[in-house]
């Protein structure tokens, strides 16, 4: 299983305090929500660790010629899971990604109906926040490991209270991280 998916599941796990008169055990501490950094460049390998040092995982987008450096990235950051954002995974061979040490793949809901068959690779489906509640509940039954809620394409905005309300609403509807 993907390291990132394991971390997301640990962060989402509900920790309850034991009750009763028996011997008390220390409460299990809950892991904080993982921080996933997005990077559009994978060519400056020497300074990549400096730029992304606080992240729990890295998502590479629009690699272009940087795709050749993926094995070097994996060696330079062995403890940090990383993955790729793929527009169309239907026609792509993901063996180079897993062979280079890739941990997960993110793909939009508009991609053709194929998913990677590699069980070690985490599959994250990107959906828009404008989905209806009924359609959002159906995501629970899809063969993906996690959900990424995205804003409108091309619209770069700061995180707002409205975003947090939407994320909480979707977290209540979903069983997946």
């Amino acid at each position: 299983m993907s390291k990132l998916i394991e971390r997301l599941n640990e962060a989402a796990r509900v920790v309850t305090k034991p009750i009763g008169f028996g011997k008390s055990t220390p409460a299990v501490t809950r892991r904080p929500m993982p921080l996933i950094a997005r990077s559009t460049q994978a060519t400056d390998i020497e300074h990549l660790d400096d730029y992304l040092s606080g992240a729990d995982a890295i998502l590479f987008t629009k690699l272009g010629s940087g795709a050749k450096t993926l094995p070097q990235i994996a060696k330079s950051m062995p403890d940090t899971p990383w993955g790729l954002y793929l527009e169309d995974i239907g026609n792509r061979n993901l063996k180079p990604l897993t062979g280079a040490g890739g941990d997960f793949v993110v793909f939009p809901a508009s991609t053709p109906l194929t998913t990677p068959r590699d069980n070690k690779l985490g599959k994250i489906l990107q959906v828009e926040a404008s989905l209806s509640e009924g359609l959002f509940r159906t995501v629970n039954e899809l063969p993906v490991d996690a959900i990424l809620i995205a804003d409108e394409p091309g619209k770069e905005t700061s995180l707002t209270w409205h975003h947090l309300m939407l994320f909480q609403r979707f977290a209540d509807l979903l069983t997946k991280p």
Side-chain angles (χ1 to χ4, degrees), residues 138-152:
T138 62
V139 173
N140 287 324
E141 305 302 321
L142 297 178
V144 295
D145 301 311
I147 309 302
L148 172 65
I149 302 168
D151 229 351
E152 295 176 29

Side-chain angles (χ1 to χ4, degrees), residues 52-64:
L52 306 170
S53 63
D56 295 305
I58 303 166
L59 174 63
F60 290 107
T61 60
K62 301 175 187 172
L63 284 179

Side-chain angles (χ1 to χ4, degrees), residues 67-136:
K68 298 172 188 169
T69 62
L70 291 178
Q72 297 165 338
I73 291 169
K75 288 180 185 174
S76 69
M77 301 174 64
D79 297 330
T80 306
W82 59 272
L84 297 176
Y85 178 82
L86 301 176
E87 291 285 339
D88 175 17
I89 63 169
N91 299 325
R92 294 191 186 213
N93 181 5
L94 295 176
K95 295 229 187 252
L97 170 66
T98 56
D103 188 62
F104 61 95
V105 62
V106 177
F107 52 95
S110 62
T111 57
L113 193 57
T114 56
T115 56
R117 292 191 178 153
D118 189 341
N119 290 336
K120 295 177 186 171
L121 194 63
K123 295 171 277 299
I124 302 174
L125 176 66
Q126 177 184 334
V127 296
E128 293 181 17
S130 62
L131 284 180
S132 67
E133 184 174 322
L135 195 55
F136 220 94

